[in-house]
Amino acid sequence: MYQQILFAADFSEDALRVGERARDIARKCGAKLSLIHVVEDVNISLGGGYELLPVLPDLPDEALLQESRNALGNLAQRLDITDAGLWVVNALSTKEGIIGAAKDHHIDLIVVGSHGRHGLALLLGSTANAVLHGAPCDVLAVRI
Amino acid sequence: MYQQILFAADFSEDALRVGERARDIARKCGAKLSLIHVVEDVNISLGGGYELLPVLPDLPDEALLQESRNALGNLAQRLDITDAGLWVVNALSTKEGIIGAAKDHHIDLIVVGSHGRHGLALLLGSTANAVLHGAPCDVLAVRI
């Protein structure tokens, strides 16, 4: 069974429920649990002509990363897990950040929240979807 | 944790490995495991003009369903699970069959094999992908 589980955490109101699932599975399997949050370093913003333009900023500044580290720590505390790895990484996309970490750390299960796909989300896809297609390991999509 | 787990089985050479994962999780959780195989009743075939045409045949004949029932029974035997529900259903698509059964039987986890997406598969999508988007519950995509 699983030995290295990675919970891909956003800081939405559903993160706690998804995290609980990841935690419970890790406990059942006796697996090590790590939490990751990805700070994307490319943003799409409205350009002058109302076109969607990729904006390539400097790397996220230290304050933003520190804020994410604090939020991830708080989430781990609310989940009552004290021994989890807490990783804040920045990457071109959430998908790349999660998959890169999964490969680097020999993760065998990624746990990610999954919304139903409606409207604009149907067009844009979802993190769960993206992770599913690139993951080197099993992916558990927790319905939220 | 999970109480009703549904393993969506094809009869590929990877089915055994995906099934073992489903079985092991069911045992860890003390969950009931059911196996489903969907016989699609719409096929796409080459029409006279080399166009891709949907072909609406009669419902799959009893021989085909019986063959699938036998294959599902064999798979359950190889997985050493004797008490699993074995469901062969026919539906418009594999996705619809799996999701319909998940709703009808109050499934809380669907386990499905997931290939990496390359070439044509990238265009066509995958069963795991389709199930993920319509599922009423959690989905575990087992990497094969």
Side-chain angles (χ1 to χ4, degrees):
Chain A
M1 283 295 290
Y2 302 115
Q3 299 189 307
Q4 293 281 350
I5 297 179
L6 181 62
F7 163 37
D10 58 22
F11 302 131
S12 72
E13 58 188 20
D14 299 304
L16 196 63
R17 211 177 73 69
V18 180
E20 285 169 349
R21 181 59 37 100
R23 176 197 66 197
D24 293 349
I25 292 173
R27 285 182 180 163
K28 285 254 181 232
C29 297
K32 178 166 166 50
L33 178 64
S34 301
L35 276 61
I36 188 170
H37 179 76
V38 179
V39 177
E40 295 191 356
D41 55 13
V42 172
N43 297 295
I44 305 291
S45 77
L46 288 175
Y50 293 108
E51 293 152 347
L52 288 170
L53 295 174
V55 175
L56 292 161
D58 297 326
L59 291 182
D61 62 17
E62 186 50 35
L64 179 56
L65 291 174
Q66 190 55 50
E67 199 174 87
S68 294
R69 280 188 209 107
N70 293 345
L72 205 55
N74 286 341
L75 185 57
Q77 203 164 36
R78 291 176 68 196
L79 288 167
D80 195 24
I81 41 177
T82 51
D83 54 346
L86 302 179
W87 307 333
V88 172
V89 302
N90 75 280
L92 277 174
S93 70
T94 301
K95 169 189 171 172
E96 295 304 323
I98 294 169
I99 288 174
K103 287 178 178 165
D104 290 348
H105 296 275
H106 306 290
I107 296 297
D108 44 25
L109 178 68
I110 297 169
V111 180
V112 63
S114 170
H115 296 269
R117 215 164 56 147
H118 309 285
L120 194 58
L122 190 72
L123 196 67
L124 295 174
S126 64
T127 299
N129 191 29
V131 168
L132 181 63
H133 292 138
C137 60
D138 292 5
V139 176
L140 175 64
V142 176
R143 174 65 62 194
I144 49 184
Chain B
M1 285 292 290
Y2 302 115
Q3 300 188 308
Q4 292 280 351
I5 297 180
L6 181 62
F7 163 37
D10 57 23
F11 301 131
S12 72
E13 57 188 21
D14 299 305
L16 195 63
R17 210 176 75 68
V18 181
E20 284 169 349
R21 183 57 38 99
R23 176 197 65 196
D24 293 348
I25 292 173
R27 286 182 180 164
K28 285 253 181 233
C29 297
K32 178 167 167 48
L33 178 64
S34 301
L35 276 60
I36 189 171
H37 179 76
V38 180
V39 177
E40 295 191 356
D41 55 13
V42 172
N43 297 295
I44 306 291
S45 76
L46 288 175
Y50 293 108
E51 292 153 349
L52 288 171
L53 294 175
V55 174
L56 293 160
D58 298 324
L59 290 183
D61 61 18
E62 186 51 35
L64 179 56
L65 292 174
Q66 190 55 49
E67 199 174 86
S68 294
R69 279 187 211 108
N70 293 344
L72 205 56
N74 286 341
L75 185 58
Q77 204 165 33
R78 291 176 68 194
L79 288 167
D80 195 24
I81 42 176
T82 51
D83 53 345
L86 301 180
W87 307 332
V88 172
V89 303
N90 75 280
L92 277 176
S93 70
T94 301
K95 170 188 171 172
E96 295 305 324
I98 294 169
I99 288 173
K103 287 179 177 164
D104 291 348
H105 295 275
H106 306 291
I107 296 298
D108 43 26
L109 177 67
I110 298 170
V111 180
V112 64
S114 170
H115 296 269
R117 216 166 53 149
H118 308 285
L120 193 60
L122 191 73
L123 197 67
L124 295 174
S126 65
T127 299
N129 190 31
V131 168
L132 181 64
H133 292 138
C137 61
D138 292 5
V139 176
L140 175 64
V142 175
R143 173 64 62 194
I144 49 183

